[in-house]
Amino acid sequence: MMASRERLYAIGADYRKAISGYDKIVKICCGTGCISSGALTVYDELQRVLSKRGLSSKQILVKKTGCHGLCERGPIVVFGDDEILYQNVGKRNIERDIAALLATINEDKIEDELLYKGDDKTKRYMSSFDIPFYSGQTRIVLSLNGVIDPENIEEYVGYGGYKSLHKALQMNPMEIVDLIEKSGLRGRGGGGFLTGFKWRSCRQAQGLPKYVVANGDEGDPGAFMDRSLMEGNPHGILEGMIIGGFAIGSNHGFIYVRDEYPLAVYRLSKAIDEARHHGFLGRSIMNSGFDFDISIFRGGGAFVCGESTALISSIEGKSGEPRAKYIHTTEKGLWGKPTNINNVETWSNVPYIIDRGWEWFQSIGSDRSKGTKVFSLVGKVKNTGLIEVPMGVSLREIIFNLGGGIQGDKKFKAVQTGGPSGGCIPEEFLEIPVDFDSLTKLGSMMGSGGMIVMDERNCMVDVARYFLKFLIEESCGKCTPCREGVRRMHEIVDRICRGDGSMGDIEHLEELGKAIQLSSLCGLGQSAPNPVLSTIKFFREEYRTHVQEKKCPAGVCKNLITVSILPERCTGCMRCAVECPVDCISSEKKEIHGIDQSLCTKCGTCFDVCRFGAVKIS
Amino acid sequence: MIEFKINGRHTRANDGETILDVARREGFVIPTLCHHEILGSDGRCRLCMVEVKKRKRKRIIASCLYMAESGIEVSTETPEIQLIRRTVLELFLARNPASEVIRYFAREYGVIDTRYTRDNDKGKCILCNSCVKTCETVVGVTAISLSGKGPHKKVTTPFDGPSNVCIGCGACMAVCPTGHIYMEDRNGIRTIWNRRFELTKCPRCGRYHAPLAQLEFIAQKSGTALDRLTVCQDCR
């Protein structure tokens, strides 16, 4: 084996040499989102066309990259170093779009149709740097997502990968722990515990062997940060873990990935094999004398297994039940040995901190929350996707600038942060900085970084019911308050939504919620009442209207609404009738429509499609 | 020696003693449904929650799992603790309306009735896990386990069928705090966990005394001849 440093440089140099031989590089986003929009077809077609001799005289490298972030507009194709970003490629007309890609490759001809359009539909953005969705971001852990081919270690090394590992291996382990502590990095899985502090207590803990674990068990509905990182830049996670292992004094790491993420499992496995092959994993890593290896553990996909003690139980082969954390996992974790668990995003930050120093990391973010956070922005927002912003950016900035505002220009109502057990934050708090402490103060939380935006057509009681339903199904059932209490909360909320709410229900929910928060065994149970308590806190009036007036102001709860057509506005266009899934709308062209109330399921489709405001929900 | 306070009173504890251990020894009443002196605790029922003040920090913890520490102040009757107890008991009352034990506990803590719809499919099981632990660690056969999650969690045999390792010893039934587990001996047959066990007749007094499967298990484990074990204890 070559001397470590030389080998690292050799791989990087080989890569740069190979890259310089190409006239053009075309990157096709092959994250799960873009794949589901047809990115693989675009890739195959383009490869097929290019392989036909004579169609291009240039040397072209077409590569698959990880998630680019702007999932709403996928498949996304990027040229060179982001000079040109094409969106929705191949979505409407694959042949025409492939021809356009060829034209760009051969003649540098820009296809206007495929460029990102601004809100006013006139301004077109060529490079991703100009699009507000991207320009508002600070990308650290996502910086190589959408740039490198995650299945090629040479690309990672070519972009500076494993340089930090080499640097760390020259340091004293304690020095690394100090550095991580000084950087102010806090756990990105949601807890927000100081990472350096955790590393220190694990390093100082008695008992061998020690383990490091990457938590990639992402279970929040609508969240895909961890998935994108594992799929888009698996080596970044490995490098962080190896450095962590060295600092803590561990020789074995586990990556816990839920089995629903097959692409992540595949790319991580490939990354591990390649890293081993190049001597970044295994015996005497980079000739340092330090041994470290990583195995992947595929979890069954229970939400609670993201909780550290349940995750440990799951790796040990037991059912995923959490245990009381009066003794920390850093002291007694996997098989009773000291174990350091961090979220994959936390691990991904580590190489950058080693490379650029703690001062640099500390300079990003807010007072007590340093660095950036990756969020998945979903719901009624225009630009759904994956973003990375410095901590402390306001919710308004995220939703209205990066997110482009609310779909259909409806009115913003609330944003749910922190996944199913987070809380709903109303408009009056949109200016608050997004960091661990501010969100907790509002009765919500950072969580792993899911953000679900809701508009005026979301009923907050119904939203609470939705999350409770999810939590009932995902409660492990070990402790009484979570297992029994959450389903009773759901019972009450469901009753309210059905119009059977009675006086005292709201107070009852508050009391039960408080008891569950105080007495549940793990974080899932302790935070399970949040969706209800935060919606009661900020939207009490809406609950009251449901209970006392038997009305749903947002027009969602089916038993409490009627859908009717306003004759004075109806133009007889038949659009509602065509879209109605149960054919309950009587219609003749140019005649005023009517709804057969006995058939209507109150789904609201007619309301959503009517262009004249002629459908009334009351 | 660890010294700390429970409800303002000085108490002493040995290393490794939980707050519940100490409190019970000292005569403080902390209710619990899932704790078993030999099998230990998993912290499932949450009835034994107490408040612990450590320096300035207050926490609510499960007294069955939290080890006594010097200098802490434990309170067992704060308004929050009372809220937790009442809530847990009301939830149990809805889950196990037929359980006399639950009804007794509920009455003790002033819970007269439950506001929730009563379950009629959960029997008296409070998912304390004592039966599972007994079967696994005391008997050593693991015929039953917790299966499912959330409200669907239950104690059962593999795939709810007759377990092929069960020896019909009934230890699970004996340890169950609420009397949920059903066992019946009739006409030389013991029925438990959906399986029927042939009972052995004592060759001397002619009384049915234990399932053959259990005697075979003991014979194998202890090296005692089966012939000897088929004679009941009274006649031996």
Side-chain angles (χ1 to χ4, degrees):
Chain A
M1 174 144 309
M2 232 187 282
S4 56
R5 197 187 166 87
E6 282 66 34
R7 185 169 178 90
L8 194 61
Y9 286 151
I11 301 171
D14 282 353
Y15 169 74
R16 281 184 290 275
K17 197 175 153 205
I19 278 297
S20 64
Y22 291 104
D23 297 316
K24 262 210 167 63
I25 297 172
V26 185
K27 293 177 277 196
I28 300 178
C29 175
C30 287
T32 298
C34 280
I35 286 179
S36 65
S37 309
L40 291 179
T41 317
V42 175
Y43 176 83
D44 291 341
E45 270 301 294
L46 188 61
Q47 287 285 38
R48 193 179 63 80
V49 171
L50 285 174
S51 67
K52 278 193 196 162
R53 238 195 298 200
L55 277 180
S56 173
S57 54
K58 299 185 175 171
Q59 278 294 316
I60 312 296
L61 172 66
V62 185
K63 66 180 181 186
K64 296 180 193 172
T65 69
C67 179
H68 214 278
L70 193 52
C71 308
E72 179 78 28
R73 313 278 181 127
I76 287 180
V77 175
V78 177
F79 286 84
D81 289 331
D82 264 358
E83 288 96 16
I84 306 166
L85 180 139
Y86 283 160
Q87 45 143 31
N88 289 328
V89 181
K91 234 182 194 168
R92 285 184 207 101
N93 187 337
I94 179 95
E95 279 167 31
R96 190 195 63 197
D97 288 355
I98 294 290
L101 292 181
L102 267 183
T104 310
I105 290 167
N106 288 330
E107 306 149 38
D108 290 322
K109 190 168 165 280
I110 306 292
E111 177 57 54
D112 263 8
E113 272 302 298
L114 293 175
L115 290 177
Y116 181 94
K117 293 172 213 45
D119 248 2
D120 55 1
K121 310 277 184 212
T122 52
K123 185 166 162 66
R124 286 170 196 263
Y125 298 83
M126 180 112 96
S127 156
S128 69
F129 299 117
D130 308 324
I131 302 171
F133 178 81
Y134 289 105
S135 60
Q137 297 190 41
T138 302
R139 292 186 154 217
I140 298 172
V141 297
L142 285 181
S143 60
L144 294 183
N145 254 48
V147 174
I148 59 165
D149 174 357
E151 295 182 26
N152 185 350
I153 191 171
E154 286 162 25
E155 295 221 345
Y156 181 67
V157 176
Y159 277 91
Y162 290 112
K163 203 168 71 184
S164 301
L165 173 61
H166 185 262
K167 186 173 167 188
L169 291 172
Q170 319 301 312
M171 294 164 72
N172 179 322
M174 231 28 224
E175 239 181 289
I176 301 175
V177 174
D178 284 344
L179 190 141
I180 297 295
E181 198 168 278
K182 277 192 276 190
S183 75
L185 176 66
R186 293 170 70 173
R188 296 303 194 243
F193 195 76
L194 261 180
T195 306
F197 192 80
K198 195 192 251 182
W199 287 22
R200 185 183 304 280
S201 54
C202 192
R203 174 162 186 87
Q204 288 167 348
Q206 297 294 315
L208 285 171
K210 293 179 181 179
Y211 298 101
V212 295
V213 178
N215 185 349
D217 185 74
E218 185 174 47
D220 299 3
F224 48 96
M225 299 75 57
D226 295 350
R227 188 224 290 262
S228 299
L229 277 172
M230 292 187 284
E231 288 175 1
N233 187 11
H235 285 287
I237 301 163
L238 301 189
E239 189 175 358
M241 287 176 76
I242 307 166
I243 295 170
F246 179 67
I248 288 159
S250 160
N251 303 103
H252 203 91
F254 287 95
I255 303 182
Y256 191 98
V257 193
R258 52 173 44 211
D259 217 31
E260 286 99 320
Y261 286 180
L263 190 61
V265 171
Y266 173 73
R267 289 189 178 157
L268 280 166
S269 312
K270 185 148 191 194
I272 290 174
D273 286 345
E274 286 190 312
R276 256 187 221 136
H277 176 74
H278 287 284
F280 302 130
L281 272 178
R283 281 292 179 86
S284 188
I285 290 171
M286 299 176 96
N287 293 336
S288 63
F290 168 62
D291 304 337
F292 190 79
D293 214 335
I294 294 176
S295 343
I296 294 177
F297 188 94
R298 290 153 69 163
F303 183 64
V304 72
C305 287
E307 201 278 343
S308 58
T309 57
L311 185 150
I312 285 174
S313 213
S314 174
I315 295 182
E316 287 174 349
K318 301 176 199 149
S319 68
E321 279 189 347
R323 62 162 178 75
K325 280 201 220 170
Y326 305 142
I327 300 171
H328 294 295
T329 51
T330 48
E331 285 165 43
K332 276 200 166 87
L334 258 178
W335 296 292
K337 302 295 180 189
T339 303
N340 189 96
I341 304 181
N342 282 126
N343 175 268
V344 291
E345 189 185 334
T346 317
W347 289 119
S348 297
N349 270 295
V350 170
Y352 294 99
I353 298 173
I354 299 288
D355 183 32
R356 298 183 208 173
W358 63 269
E359 296 92 340
W360 161 79
F361 192 80
Q362 248 234 355
S363 70
I364 306 165
S366 68
D367 196 22
R368 292 188 55 224
S369 301
K370 299 299 178 191
T372 56
K373 177 77 192 90
V374 183
F375 292 101
S376 66
L377 191 58
V378 297
K380 304 280 182 68
V381 71
K382 279 179 190 156
N383 296 331
T384 56
L386 201 68
I387 55 164
E388 183 177 354
V389 289
M391 300 260 197
V393 165
S394 72
L395 281 167
R396 185 182 296 282
E397 167 78 13
I398 292 177
I399 296 163
F400 287 91
N401 192 16
L402 279 69
I406 309 300
Q407 282 171 12
D409 293 315
K410 288 204 170 71
K411 202 171 164 321
F412 169 86
K413 187 164 183 180
V415 57
Q416 155 97 11
T417 71
S421 42
C424 293
I425 299 171
E427 187 167 18
E428 60 202 279
F429 295 104
L430 276 181
E431 305 304 336
I432 66 139
V434 178
D435 59 30
F436 291 107
D437 310 308
S438 313
L439 291 175
T440 312
K441 240 181 257 165
L442 281 179
S444 185
M445 58 187 202
M446 177 78 85
S448 56
M451 247 182 217
I452 305 175
V453 179
M454 298 170 214
D455 67 12
E456 52 193 317
R457 283 275 287 143
N458 284 104
C459 163
M460 300 318 283
V461 190
D462 181 64
V463 163
R465 175 168 70 164
Y466 168 82
F467 286 115
L468 285 171
K469 182 90 183 121
F470 177 86
L471 290 163
I472 295 171
E473 280 160 19
E474 295 301 339
S475 162
C476 80
K478 180 174 178 176
C479 75
T480 319
C482 173
R483 179 188 66 237
E484 305 294 330
V486 177
R487 78 176 161 119
R488 299 308 182 176
M489 285 188 101
H490 179 263
E491 236 173 61
I492 301 169
V493 171
D494 190 49
R495 206 166 60 214
I496 295 175
C497 287
R498 280 189 282 109
D500 297 329
S502 46
M503 297 288 278
D505 274 352
I506 302 173
E507 292 73 19
H508 184 182
L509 281 171
E510 287 176 315
E511 178 198 297
L512 179 55
K514 188 182 172 198
I516 297 172
Q517 281 181 329
L518 289 173
S519 60
S520 286
L521 195 154
C522 79
L524 169 66
Q526 285 156 11
S527 58
N530 286 358
V532 178
L533 296 182
S534 73
T535 47
I536 291 181
K537 185 171 167 190
F538 297 125
F539 300 92
R540 199 180 188 97
E541 191 52 30
E542 201 164 331
Y543 275 84
R544 203 194 55 76
T545 312
H546 278 74
V547 172
Q548 290 179 7
E549 295 167 32
K550 312 288 179 207
K551 278 184 181 157
C552 174
V556 176
C557 298
K558 290 185 180 161
N559 285 6
L560 306 182
I561 55 170
T562 45
V563 183
S564 55
I565 288 174
L566 299 170
E568 66 275 19
R569 289 201 180 169
C570 179
T571 61
C573 74
M574 289 183 54
R575 193 149 180 219
C576 57
V578 170
E579 298 283 341
C580 175
V582 292
D583 288 333
C584 73
I585 302 180
S586 61
S587 61
E588 288 293 329
K589 213 165 186 180
K590 306 263 179 191
E591 277 180 29
I592 293 164
H593 304 324
I595 295 178
D596 181 345
Q597 297 294 343
S598 65
L599 294 175
C600 177
T601 60
K602 300 166 188 177
C603 67
T605 305
C606 49
F607 176 87
D608 289 332
V609 299
C610 181
R611 289 173 183 157
F612 308 101
V615 178
K616 187 180 148 207
I617 295 179
S618 56
Chain B
M1 185 59 82
I2 298 159
E3 292 187 26
F4 68 106
K5 279 186 197 168
I6 301 179
N7 294 344
R9 197 168 96 200
H10 281 282
T11 38
R12 292 173 163 216
N14 301 313
D15 253 348
E17 266 190 306
T18 63
I19 290 178
L20 184 68
D21 291 336
V22 183
R24 288 192 156 178
R25 202 183 56 221
E26 297 288 325
F28 293 99
V29 178
I30 298 177
T32 158
L33 278 167
C34 70
H35 173 76
H36 189 282
E37 282 181 15
I38 292 161
L39 302 166
S41 285
D42 297 347
R44 288 173 190 269
C45 77
R46 318 305 283 174
L47 259 186
C48 73
M49 305 298 286
V50 297
E51 186 188 281
V52 163
K53 196 175 158 200
K54 192 174 170 182
R55 280 174 230 112
K56 278 187 180 158
R57 195 169 158 231
K58 279 183 188 170
R59 270 174 94 184
I60 288 177
I61 53 93
S63 64
C64 65
L65 291 171
Y66 198 95
M67 301 296 168
E69 274 177 76
S70 282
I72 56 172
E73 288 174 43
V74 177
S75 311
T76 66
E77 300 290 339
T78 69
E80 286 180 335
I81 298 300
Q82 286 167 353
L83 169 70
I84 293 170
R85 276 182 206 157
R86 281 199 316 270
T87 304
V88 168
L89 286 167
E90 189 182 346
L91 291 169
F92 271 137
L93 217 46
R95 180 190 164 92
N96 318 100
S99 167
E100 302 80 2
V101 176
I102 298 291
R103 285 211 297 266
Y104 169 79
F105 265 88
R107 246 193 336 267
E108 280 291 288
Y109 290 93
V111 181
I112 314 296
D113 200 2
T114 178
R115 288 168 284 181
Y116 312 111
T117 41
R118 289 170 172 78
D119 287 338
N120 42 31
D121 60 336
K122 309 267 193 281
K124 297 178 184 175
C125 181
I126 54 163
L127 294 169
C128 69
N129 207 33
S130 293
C131 52
V132 175
K133 280 200 269 186
T134 301
C135 186
E136 190 180 322
T137 61
V138 180
V139 183
V141 296
T142 317
I144 48 173
S145 62
L146 289 172
S147 98
K149 62 178 180 181
H152 309 296
K153 196 165 207 141
K154 60 177 179 183
V155 176
T156 183
T157 50
F159 306 105
D160 297 337
S163 156
N164 53 13
V165 297
C166 180
I167 55 170
C169 68
C172 50
M173 184 208 66
V175 79
C176 177
T178 59
H180 170 72
I181 298 170
Y182 169 80
M183 183 169 96
E184 185 194 59
D185 288 358
R186 188 191 283 177
N187 301 333
I189 299 291
R190 171 173 290 183
T191 311
I192 186 169
W193 293 116
N194 299 322
R195 199 177 143 187
R196 289 154 64 82
F197 292 89
E198 191 191 326
L199 289 171
T200 313
K201 217 176 206 169
C202 172
R204 298 198 192 151
C205 66
R207 197 168 56 94
Y208 289 116
H209 66 105
L212 181 62
Q214 183 185 352
L215 297 180
E216 283 170 347
F217 178 80
I218 295 170
Q220 202 196 0
K221 214 159 189 192
S222 64
T224 317
L226 187 61
D227 286 358
R228 223 176 97 74
L229 293 171
T230 50
V231 178
C232 83
Q233 232 169 355
D234 295 344
C235 300
R236 232 174 266 161

